[in-house]
Amino acid sequence: MRNTMRSARLAIPLILAAGTLSAQSAATDYRDEFLAHFEQSSYKIAELAKAMPAEKYEWSPGAGVMPVAQVYMHLARYNFMYLDQNLGIAPPHGVDYSGLEAISDKDEVQRIFARSVEHVNDAVGRMSEEDLVAETTLYGRRVAGWAVLFQLLSHMNEHVGQSVAYARMNGVVPPWSR
């Protein structure tokens, strides 16, 4: 009997906590999970952009392959573009993302990439549950808003891997793996 009472006292807070967790919306969970993963991935790109020497920003592993700076600007472009074209969230005033991939100055690349990350964090952080589940179009498919965010993250992570390979090919060790 004593063990049963003790078990019940321990179980009640767990049951209450489980009820609270299940009451949270799935869409909000998607947003929060996205932001956590986006933070990690954008941190890695920012750190690689700092570690890569300025003279390597024009380096490419071969003809027809994006050079270092273009990869970083490609990510910035898509950070602005996915939100704008697929979620109706305009880029900050004065940002024209159409020509970003031509920029190769290290300081400017880092500044623009950071601004794109800030824009995603701010915009996604303000998205309501309704925004996250609202139907939109992504590459010709009808999807929920959160699916656009997952595409943005998947896209970024593809280029994190590419950027790590570029760094290592140029003798740069990713700062988080030292």
Side-chain angles (χ1 to χ4, degrees):
M1 174 80 159
R2 195 165 130 176
N3 283 340
T4 303
M5 292 296 284
R6 182 171 171 234
S7 295
R9 279 195 314 257
L10 293 174
I12 289 172
L14 293 174
I15 292 167
L16 293 174
T20 301
L21 290 175
S22 66
Q24 291 178 344
S25 80
T28 303
D29 289 348
Y30 292 150
R31 181 195 61 217
D32 294 345
E33 192 68 19
F34 166 82
L35 287 170
H37 284 277
F38 182 76
E39 180 180 338
Q40 292 174 6
S41 299
S42 59
Y43 166 81
K44 288 178 179 178
I45 291 294
E47 289 299 301
L48 286 170
K50 286 180 207 168
M52 187 67 83
E55 63 272 10
K56 295 294 185 177
Y57 267 55
E58 299 278 347
W59 179 88
S60 169
V65 181
M66 284 193 280
V68 171
Q70 188 178 0
V71 173
Y72 302 148
M73 288 295 81
H74 177 77
L75 285 169
R77 177 177 166 235
Y78 274 79
N79 285 347
F80 292 122
M81 192 176 81
Y82 276 129
L83 270 60
D84 184 27
Q85 293 182 5
N86 302 103
L87 296 175
I89 301 170
H93 180 72
V95 172
D96 176 10
Y97 54 81
S98 64
L100 292 181
E101 291 183 38
I103 297 169
S104 61
D105 175 75
K106 180 175 178 169
D107 292 335
E108 189 172 5
V109 165
Q110 289 179 309
R111 183 184 58 75
I112 293 168
F113 180 75
R115 189 168 187 200
S116 78
V117 168
E118 181 181 322
H119 174 63
V120 170
N121 280 322
D122 290 347
V124 173
R126 287 191 312 269
M127 289 180 75
S128 68
E129 182 174 342
E130 291 78 23
D131 296 331
L132 291 164
V133 298
E135 194 172 274
T136 187
T137 303
L138 177 66
Y139 297 121
R141 302 180 300 123
R142 299 300 294 170
V143 299
W146 61 259
V148 174
L149 301 181
F150 280 21
Q151 173 59 37
L152 187 154
L153 185 60
S154 175
H155 176 253
M156 178 172 282
N157 284 333
E158 173 185 342
H159 292 294
V160 168
Q162 177 185 19
S163 297
V164 168
Y166 278 22
R168 293 211 181 263
M169 291 170 81
N170 283 283
V172 175
V173 177
W176 63 88
S177 67
R178 290 182 187 153

